[in-house]
Amino acid sequence: MIRPIVLWGAEVLEKPSEPVSNITDAEIKLVQDMIETMYKAPGVGLAAPQVGVSKRIMVTDATGGEKKNHLLTILNPEMVAAEGEQFEEEGCLSIPGFSAVVARPKKIVLRGLDLNGKEIIFEGSDLLARAFSHEIDHLDGKFFLDHLSFIKRDIIKRRIRKLIRQGKWE
Ligand code: NI
């Protein structure tokens, strides 16, 4: 089931998400829906708070579903190593219509759980590292905007607030 994507301004996106302590049918259904929602968008990553659920769950597919076996589901992800730097244009499904060049690590190693509760280690570079970093930000209540200079961030926030006032932010 495709779930509506929550947009910037919603409280659920501005607070740290709760760690997952039990993997029940609800978490499994949530992950299935997040995967469908991510591919439909289309996007290369999605975090649970973006569908309104404050849990530390993220899905990524740096190929956007173009290639098989690139789909990752990670619960309670933690960044255990980060290396290098990359600068690319980046957007967010919760901030449609806006993008900016954001500095991210070139390589990231994550530790988390899969849907069976088994500990997994994942290494991502380039776009996958960017997605890892971006989705972990969501789980911590942050946006790519928080990586920009005050001036750039302020310009985008003013434009979003204007869209909200006009009733065009949905
Ligand atoms: Ni995002």
Side-chain angles (χ1 to χ4, degrees):
M1 188 184 84
I2 290 161
R3 301 196 190 193
I5 293 178
V6 174
L7 299 186
W8 184 92
E11 199 196 326
V12 68
L13 292 174
E14 290 170 5
K15 60 178 184 183
S17 295
E18 295 292 324
V20 178
S21 49
N22 281 306
I23 301 166
T24 68
D25 288 349
E27 280 73 31
I28 292 167
K29 175 74 175 116
L30 170 63
V31 165
Q32 285 168 349
D33 290 351
M34 284 172 63
I35 291 166
E36 265 187 68
T37 305
M38 172 181 72
Y39 284 139
K40 176 75 193 330
V44 297
L46 195 70
Q50 292 185 277
V51 292
V53 181
S54 192
K55 287 183 182 168
R56 301 188 77 81
I57 300 177
M58 58 185 260
V59 294
T60 64
D61 183 341
T63 77
E66 293 287 313
K67 290 182 187 168
K68 283 186 177 175
N69 305 320
H70 284 257
L71 175 64
L72 303 176
T73 297
I74 311 175
L75 284 62
N76 300 342
E78 279 176 63
M79 209 182 286
V80 291
E83 186 187 304
E85 213 174 17
Q86 55 166 320
F87 297 86
E88 296 290 341
E89 190 88 11
E90 181 175 321
C92 176
L93 296 175
S94 295
I95 313 180
F98 295 91
S99 63
V101 173
V102 181
R104 297 283 187 185
K106 177 91 173 151
K107 277 187 182 177
I108 287 176
V109 180
L110 285 188
R111 180 174 58 210
L113 304 176
D114 68 12
L115 259 187
N116 299 311
K118 188 178 158 231
E119 188 172 292
I120 42 171
I121 299 281
F122 277 114
E123 196 176 313
S125 53
D126 302 307
L127 182 58
L128 185 57
R130 178 169 295 278
F132 282 170
S133 178
H134 182 114
E135 302 314 328
I136 285 182
D137 273 358
H138 278 306
L139 301 181
D140 292 332
K142 292 192 280 182
F143 296 89
F144 77 84
L145 300 181
D146 297 306
H147 295 271
L148 307 181
S149 68
F150 174 80
I151 291 174
K152 284 183 185 168
R153 182 166 64 243
D154 199 51
I155 289 169
I156 293 178
K157 284 186 177 178
R158 281 166 190 269
R159 285 162 68 188
I160 295 172
R161 288 198 187 100
K162 191 176 174 190
L163 291 172
I164 292 171
R165 283 197 304 275
Q166 294 171 333
K168 290 178 182 167
W169 190 244
E170 50 193 28

